[in-house]
Amino acid sequence: SWLNDAGLQRLLALLGADGEEARIVGGAIRNTLLGQPVTDIDIATTSEPGETMRRLQAAGVKAVDTGMEHGTVTAVIDGHGYEITTLREDTETDGRRAVVRFGRSWQHDAERRDFTINALYADADGTLRDPVGGRADIEGRLVRFIGDPEQRIREDYLRILRFFRFFAWYGHGRPDADGLKACARLKEGLAGLSAERIWTEMRKLLAAPDPSRALLWMRQAGVLSLVLPESEKWGIDGIHGLMAAEQALGWPADAVLRLMVLIPLRKEVVQGLAERWKLGSRVRDRLVAVSQAHGVAPDMATGDFERLLYQGNPQAITDRMRLDIAALGTDDVGAQSLVRLLDHAGSWTRPSFPLSGRDLMALGFDSGPALGDALRTLEKRWIDSGFSLDRDRLLADVPAPE
Ligand code: ATP
Ligand code: MG
């Protein structure tokens, strides 16, 4: 397994030498126990960041300062990044982020983490360390705060969203009652969080295999209307249609598409959300584009559909189609036609127009608006032919320059 990776073993040996200790912690252990893929490996160590940095550099391992004042150094071995964090304990808090200091106690390090399932450690030989009872909660698929939920939320209100995020991914049945109650009671604290932290969590929540139950609980707790008021009037029924379509058609989990069904897709709404959450330009442009895309008629001929893709924004067109299929339901005949067109879009590659301005200049055109007009006329003719006219046929029909 990943634990036997030579690079990882080397790292643990390096950090664990000379009276220091190093263990794997967090998502890697949790996911392994759940039989789910491990994407990144976090390491906890008694060694302080400066010492960690020295040891890595002395061994010729690439080390990057990714937040040394918070205790974090990233080691890169064979292209894999390992986040190495010095043991910490909570001191005080401003509610936006817990304030921590370095420590040497594994118990305290565990206690300042958020949920029991996230506070499991493993030694280099695979020995499991479970200071706060995470193992039993993993088996029960229970997302449970470590310590008093209200107190833990007051230290860092992001933990409200993390509660629902981990519930979406790993929870079974109902969320932990005390945790849920604390989230509902303290939800107003979400207002103080930075946009980046909210979107990062929401994006991970929306990427869960099926986020719909978590979203329902968030709505029930009054949390959803605070983080995503756009969803309030709109309702979240759309998510059920999308989940059904994803299942029936084997679509991959797509956090942004899932966001689309939660909000009214109007340009001003989408732009307001993009600004509030400081969405990156790719996500923002995708949302704005779909808010402006027209639906595709289910009976559209394949040739017309290809022309539409060529002249429009294929991402926006296919996003719009997916939303329409989800809204109609996959039993609907129109939706089934859209599915066929969508499949076609998936195997279609954008043809490239075989002529350029150079070709026309070789025929006596001067560069300028007339050349541009002639080129556009020819491209239109080529599109109308279903992209079938080749270079020679097109050049044979070039209008004479004026
Ligand atoms: P993933 O990487 O899949 O998102 P993860 O559990 O590794 O899941 P990270 O955000 O990488 O999550 O954090 C690593 C660990 O740090 C967590 O498992 C948890 O123990 C701790 N942690 C992260 N964020 C917080 C927080 N806001 N409050 C308390 N502990 C946290
Ligand atoms: Mg992680």
Side-chain angles (χ1 to χ4, degrees):
S1 79
W2 55 266
L3 184 61
N4 297 321
D5 179 84
L8 174 62
Q9 284 296 329
R10 181 161 167 239
L11 209 51
L12 291 170
L14 213 61
L15 297 168
D18 301 325
E20 301 292 352
E21 293 171 296
R23 295 174 185 167
I24 302 146
V25 65
I29 309 299
R30 179 195 66 221
N31 288 14
T32 301
L33 293 174
L34 286 165
Q36 296 193 2
V38 168
T39 46
D40 66 42
I41 297 175
D42 299 308
I43 294 173
T45 178
T46 53
S47 149
E48 292 207 1
E51 175 63 14
T52 298
M53 195 62 116
R54 269 192 297 282
R55 288 184 180 206
L56 295 175
Q57 282 167 348
V61 174
K62 184 173 174 199
V64 187
D65 173 356
T66 45
M68 280 175 76
E69 73 276 21
H70 302 114
T72 307
V73 171
T74 299
V76 186
I77 299 184
D78 301 332
H80 293 284
Y82 298 90
E83 202 163 271
I84 303 167
T85 305
T86 304
L87 299 196
R88 291 179 291 194
E89 32 201 86
D90 282 335
T91 50
E92 53 189 288
T93 175
D94 59 3
R96 290 161 175 259
R97 250 179 212 282
V99 178
V100 292
R101 63 154 185 257
F102 304 140
R104 290 192 69 88
S105 157
W106 291 95
Q107 184 69 34
H108 288 161
D109 186 72
E111 284 167 3
R112 63 100 195 156
R113 293 177 185 272
D114 43 11
F115 307 107
T116 57
I117 60 169
N118 286 346
L120 283 152
Y121 303 75
D123 292 346
D125 66 2
T127 306
L128 200 67
R129 311 269 182 170
D130 183 9
V132 293
R135 181 95 209 231
D137 286 341
I138 283 188
E139 270 150 28
R141 298 205 159 230
L142 182 64
V143 180
R144 201 159 57 86
F145 281 97
I146 298 169
D148 173 46
E150 290 202 12
Q151 188 191 326
R152 300 314 311 281
I153 291 171
R154 284 204 189 86
E155 290 165 2
D156 180 0
Y157 286 95
L158 190 73
R159 290 172 185 162
I160 293 175
L161 297 184
R162 289 176 64 87
F163 178 75
F164 292 104
R165 192 249 282 195
F166 289 110
F167 175 76
W169 276 89
Y170 313 111
H172 178 76
R174 301 166 146 262
D176 173 63
D178 290 340
L180 189 63
K181 216 187 298 165
C183 289
R185 194 169 293 163
L186 298 175
K187 58 185 185 286
E188 307 292 338
L190 288 165
L193 294 175
S194 76
E196 291 85 348
R197 294 187 85 208
I198 291 182
W199 169 229
T200 303
E201 267 324 307
M202 285 303 290
R203 187 174 200 159
K204 288 182 176 180
L205 187 151
L206 289 170
D210 182 352
S212 55
R213 282 176 319 129
L215 288 165
L216 285 168
W217 286 110
M218 281 174 82
R219 184 174 64 176
Q220 153 103 357
V223 166
L224 193 62
S225 60
L226 286 175
V227 273
L228 193 60
E230 290 83 351
S231 72
E232 203 166 13
K233 291 210 184 74
W234 196 246
I236 62 175
D237 301 338
I239 193 79
H240 298 299
L242 179 57
M243 294 320 300
E246 283 186 17
Q247 285 233 312
L249 300 166
W251 294 346
D254 179 341
V256 177
L257 196 68
R258 287 156 171 194
L259 177 61
M260 288 174 187
V261 298
L262 297 177
I263 62 176
L265 284 175
R266 289 197 309 276
K267 194 176 173 200
E268 68 281 5
V269 173
V270 157
Q271 279 175 333
L273 179 63
E275 213 151 290
R276 192 172 79 246
W277 277 359
K278 297 201 170 64
L279 298 179
S281 60
R282 278 181 58 180
V283 174
R284 184 196 59 217
D285 292 351
R286 192 175 157 199
L287 289 173
V288 171
V290 78
S291 77
Q292 295 174 313
H294 295 290
V296 170
D299 59 359
M300 186 177 247
T302 309
D304 291 335
F305 181 57
E306 288 183 350
R307 284 189 278 277
L308 183 72
L309 290 174
Y310 182 84
Q311 289 173 299
N313 173 341
Q315 173 82 70
I317 293 166
T318 53
D319 277 344
R320 182 78 258 170
M321 291 168 80
R322 284 195 184 85
L323 296 174
D324 289 343
I325 292 164
L328 291 165
T330 50
D331 290 338
D332 180 272
V333 182
Q336 288 163 359
S337 303
L338 288 175
V339 169
R340 281 191 290 275
L341 287 172
L342 194 59
D343 283 344
H344 186 70
S347 58
W348 180 80
T349 44
R350 187 186 160 87
S352 66
F353 182 48
L355 297 185
S356 72
R358 260 166 213 263
D359 295 308
L360 297 195
M361 279 156 84
L363 293 178
F365 279 82
D366 291 329
S367 62
L371 183 145
D373 287 345
L375 210 51
R376 267 187 293 281
T377 305
L378 289 163
E379 187 178 18
K380 178 81 176 32
R381 198 173 290 163
W382 173 71
I383 294 168
D384 290 343
S385 77
F387 313 105
S388 69
L389 292 176
D390 63 15
R391 214 181 132 73
D392 293 339
R393 288 278 301 284
L394 287 165
L395 284 173
D397 273 344
V398 173
E402 319 213 326

